[in-house]
C-alpha cells in the first residue's frame, strides 16, 4: 500500500484540527468501560501530535471535551479529569519537546481546580515558544467562544472587523485550520471552531478515534494535498 505515502511534493497543512470522537463506542465493542476508550484515545492523541509535528505541521488542535459533554455522567467526567491528573504531564512532555506552545481553549474555569493548575502550569512552561502550537479544547464550545468575543468587543465599545474579531477568539494569532478531521463516523462539527473553519477542508472517517493510526493521519494529509482550495476564485485565477 504505497499509494497514500507522503511524497516530497505533498502539501502539508499548517494547522490540523481533530474531533476525537468514538472512544466510547470503540471500548463498548470490546466489552470494556468507556474510560478505557478515553485512555486509549489520550495515548493516540499524543502519538498523532508527534507524527503531525514530524511531518511539518505547525499547529494541532484537538477537541477533547465540549461544553455540551459537561452534561455527561459525573463518573465519566471524573474519569477524564483523572486521566489529566495522572498522565497529562508525562504525555505532553513527548509533544512539547518539539518546541510547541500549549494552549487550553475553552471554559477552563469549569474544570476542577487541581486540573486547571496542571494545565495552566504546562501553558506557562511553553509560553515562550512561537510558531508551533497545540490547542487542547476542553469545556470548549464554538458558540460560547463567539459570544465571549462579542461581549469583549461590546465592553471595549469598538466596532469589529474580521481581523479584530479573530483576535478576540482563543485561537488569536494562529492560522485557521486547513484540515479538520473527524473520526467516529459522524458527519458534523458538534460546535467545534465554527468561525475558524470557514475555509477548512473537512475529512470524515468511520474509524473510531483509538484506532485512527499514524497511517490514517498520513492518508488524510494526502487527501488534503489533492484538494483544490479556491477560496472563492475560479480555477483560472489560481
Ligand atoms: C469522544 O468520544 C471523546 C469525548 C467526547 C470526551 P466519545 O466519548 O464521544 O465516544 P462515543 O461517541 O460515545 O463513541
Ligand atoms: C464531539 O463529540 C466532541 C468531542 C470529540 C470532544 P461528541 O460525541 O460530543 O459529539 P456528538 O454529541 O455526537 O455530536
Ligand atoms: Mg461521541
Amino acid at each position: 500500500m504505497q499509494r497514500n505515502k507522503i511524497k516530497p511534493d505533498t502539501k502539508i497543512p499548517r494547522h490540523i484540527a481533530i474531533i476525537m470522537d468514538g472512544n466510547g463506542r470503540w471500548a463498548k465493542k470490546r466489552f470494556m468501560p468507556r474510560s478505557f476508550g478515553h485512555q486509549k484515545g489520550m495515548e493516540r492523541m499524543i502519538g498523532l501530535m508527534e507524527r503531525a509535528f514530524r511531518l511539518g505541521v505547525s499547529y494541532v488542535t484537538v477537541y477533547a471535551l465540549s461544553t455540551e459533554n459537561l452534561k455527561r455522567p459525573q463518573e465519566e467526567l471524573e474519569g477524564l479529569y483523572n486521566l489529566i491528573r495522572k498522565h497529562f504531564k508525562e504525555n505532553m512532555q513527548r509533544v512539547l519537546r518539539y518546541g510547541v506552545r500549549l494552549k487550553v481553549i475553552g471554559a477552563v474555569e469549569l474544570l476542577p481546580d487541581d486540573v486547571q493548575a496542571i494545565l495552566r502550569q504546562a501553558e506557562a512552561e511553553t509560553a515562550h515558544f512561537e510558531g508551533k502550537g497545540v490547542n487542547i479544547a476542553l469545556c470548549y464550545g464554538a458558540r460560547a467562544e463567539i459570544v465571549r468575543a462579542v461581549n469583549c468587543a461590546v465592553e471595549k465599545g469598538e466596532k469589529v472587523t474580521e481581523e479584530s474579531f479573530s483576535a478576540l477568539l482563543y485561537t488569536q494569532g494562529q492560522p485557521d485550520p486547513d484540515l479538520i478531521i473527524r473520526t467516529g463516523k459522524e458527519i458534523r462539527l458538534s460546535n467545534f471552531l465554527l468561525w475558524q473553519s470557514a475555509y477548512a477542508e473537512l475529512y470524515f472517517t468511520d474509524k473510531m478515534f483509538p484506532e485512527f493510526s499514524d497511517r490514517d493521519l498520513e492518508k488524510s494529509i494526502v487527501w488534503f494535498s489533492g484538494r483544490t482550495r479556491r477560496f472563492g476564485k475560479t480555477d483560472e485565477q489560481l
Side-chain angles (χ1 to χ4, degrees):
M1 276 283 280
Q2 292 292 307
R3 201 158 24 101
N4 286 308
K5 238 189 149 53
I6 300 264
K7 298 200 192 87
D9 61 346
T10 303
K11 280 183 237 146
I12 304 290
R14 261 219 291 173
H15 185 168
I16 297 183
I18 310 178
I19 302 173
M20 309 185 293
D21 195 21
N23 292 348
R25 280 165 286 160
W26 179 85
K28 194 174 168 191
K29 214 175 140 190
R30 284 157 184 78
F31 307 103
M32 296 297 279
R34 295 179 62 83
S35 59
F36 180 65
H38 292 316
Q39 193 190 317
K40 287 287 162 197
M42 184 170 191
E43 287 165 19
R44 198 73 288 274
M45 175 186 95
I46 300 296
L48 287 171
M49 285 176 175
E50 286 192 281
R51 188 78 201 112
F53 288 116
R54 283 222 200 97
L55 288 168
V57 172
S58 302
Y59 291 89
V60 179
T61 299
V62 287
Y63 203 6
L65 189 71
S66 71
T67 319
E68 292 74 23
N69 290 151
L70 295 176
K71 293 180 212 142
R72 289 192 180 188
Q74 198 53 36
E75 192 194 336
E76 176 162 353
L77 294 174
E78 269 308 316
L80 284 168
Y81 303 150
N82 279 335
L83 271 182
I84 298 177
R85 287 183 180 113
K86 287 191 194 136
H87 302 295
F88 182 80
K89 215 173 161 179
E90 78 209 49
N91 274 325
M92 278 321 284
Q93 252 150 15
R94 275 169 52 192
V95 176
L96 301 177
R97 65 197 159 120
Y98 290 89
V100 171
R101 179 171 184 177
L102 173 80
K103 255 184 142 176
V104 181
I105 65 172
V108 185
E109 65 279 5
L110 299 178
L111 295 169
D113 287 343
D114 63 322
V115 173
Q116 285 184 47
I118 294 168
L119 300 169
R120 291 297 180 219
Q121 195 195 343
E123 282 186 326
E125 281 169 7
T126 62
H128 56 289
F129 289 125
E130 279 175 34
K132 269 196 245 173
V134 158
N135 300 316
I136 302 189
L138 277 169
C139 307
Y140 173 87
R143 286 185 172 180
E145 178 185 35
I146 290 169
V147 167
R148 180 177 167 270
V150 169
N151 284 331
C152 214
V154 169
E155 261 172 43
K156 284 194 199 166
E158 283 170 16
K159 275 202 169 180
V160 291
T161 61
E162 290 186 15
E163 286 71 30
S164 73
F165 189 74
S166 295
L168 298 173
L169 299 174
Y170 294 122
T171 47
Q172 168 258 327
Q174 302 177 358
D176 283 339
D178 303 291
L179 169 63
I180 296 184
I181 297 169
R182 180 174 187 141
T183 60
K185 237 174 166 168
E186 310 299 350
I187 318 278
R188 57 178 172 248
L189 288 175
S190 302
N191 204 11
F192 187 49
L193 301 178
L194 296 183
W195 171 277
Q196 298 89 336
S197 64
Y199 266 103
E201 302 295 330
L202 307 179
Y203 184 89
F204 297 97
T205 165
D206 287 356
K207 288 233 174 156
M208 299 295 133
F209 187 68
E211 62 195 6
F212 188 72
S213 65
D214 287 2
R215 283 287 294 127
D216 292 322
L217 176 72
E218 289 173 13
K219 245 163 96 172
S220 75
I221 292 175
V222 170
W223 173 86
F224 166 84
S225 184
R227 302 287 92 207
T228 305
R229 304 186 80 194
R230 296 187 193 82
F231 297 101
K233 296 182 180 169
T234 66
D235 281 329
E236 290 69 31
Q237 285 175 296
L238 297 179

